[in-house]
Amino acid sequence: MDETRNVVDVVLPCLDEAAALPGVLGALPAGYRAVVVDNGSRDGSPEVAAALGALVLREPRKGYGAAVHTGIEGASAEIVCVLDADGSLDPAELPRLVGPVRDGHADLVVGRRVPVSRGSWPWHARVGNAVLATLLRRRGLAVHDIGPVRAFRRQDLLDLGVADRAFGYPLELLLRAAEANWRVRELDVAYRPRTAGTKSKVSGSVRGTARAVRDMAAVLR
């Protein structure tokens, strides 16, 4: 029973990440259980994830927020993390984010990406992220990244009632957390180039970044 209580579910929204999944799932620390939410992959990602022992859920509605929220609803652990499935973030860093939540020192811990190389984070994605983070700080939330990795207590997050199901999901989460007076903590995490053979739906192009910023700006309005 104690072992079950200490399990952390890791929600991995997934769209054509078959090349990255073996490395990501293989790097999960002991006690961290993968919940892969497939959002319409055509490269066999669900089959790869299942073969590697992950719980695989399918979300037919397109959108980052739709995949993440389905994963959180389908998780069963008290504490849940969300992590991109593209290999750009090291799962070994998750216990450091979970620690303040588990110890009762934070309600939400988010990762602030620190690029390990020039090509890790394209300029257009970095600029869009900086603009949105600045707007959040003006609202009193001391964060510098609308990060793709976070840790929280599952039921607490569901109770926030985050409604966005597109790229605006992480921004709305932060706004609602601030309104609820959550203790939000930001920790640096290494940000690496994506696994070869995968492509970012956001930072992979100026168009993708513009769509994400558009969705997030709508949440701010």
Side-chain angles (χ1 to χ4, degrees):
M1 185 175 296
D2 288 341
E3 291 182 1
T4 301
R5 186 179 299 121
N6 289 330
V7 166
V8 174
D9 279 337
V10 182
V11 173
L12 298 117
C14 177
L15 177 58
D16 294 330
E17 308 288 8
L21 285 171
V24 173
L25 299 186
L28 286 175
Y32 285 68
R33 183 171 54 192
V35 180
V36 174
V37 185
D38 188 70
N39 203 209
S41 297
R42 298 182 178 181
D43 66 347
S45 289
E47 292 75 19
V48 171
L52 293 169
L55 169 64
V56 178
L57 305 176
R58 296 178 187 264
E59 175 47 71
R61 293 173 297 172
K62 291 294 185 182
Y64 173 82
V68 168
H69 199 73
T70 291
I72 296 169
E73 289 181 325
S76 57
E78 179 183 2
I79 295 177
V80 173
C81 297
V82 174
L83 180 75
D84 278 359
D86 59 14
S88 61
L89 297 157
D90 186 357
E93 298 203 65
L94 291 177
R96 192 163 53 86
L97 275 66
V98 165
V101 176
R102 176 168 279 156
D103 295 342
H105 297 146
D107 301 301
L108 173 67
V109 179
V110 295
R112 180 182 184 179
R113 288 169 287 182
V114 179
V116 301
S117 64
R118 181 174 297 179
S120 300
W121 200 353
W123 68 267
H124 47 85
R126 194 180 304 196
V127 168
N129 181 79
V131 169
L132 292 166
T134 298
L135 294 174
L136 280 176
R137 290 197 298 278
R138 289 177 180 174
R139 295 188 179 208
L141 193 61
V143 296
H144 300 81
D145 191 1
I146 316 301
V149 54
R150 60 197 78 97
F152 47 85
R153 293 188 184 275
R154 174 182 177 274
Q155 191 57 53
D156 290 347
L157 187 137
L158 291 175
D159 289 344
L160 282 181
V162 180
D164 192 272
R165 294 295 180 265
F167 288 124
Y169 183 95
L171 182 61
E172 184 185 349
L173 167 58
L174 289 169
L175 290 170
R176 287 184 178 266
E179 291 170 358
N181 295 315
W182 274 25
R183 296 162 299 167
V184 179
R185 184 171 177 183
E186 187 175 61
L187 297 176
D188 288 352
V189 293
Y191 194 48
R192 311 175 299 191
R194 298 172 56 92
T195 299
T198 66
K199 182 179 180 180
S200 173
K201 291 75 188 172
V202 177
S203 62
S205 68
V206 174
R207 181 179 181 183
T209 298
R211 285 173 51 206
V213 172
R214 178 200 63 196
D215 289 350
M216 292 184 182
V219 170
L220 284 171
R221 289 194 296 269

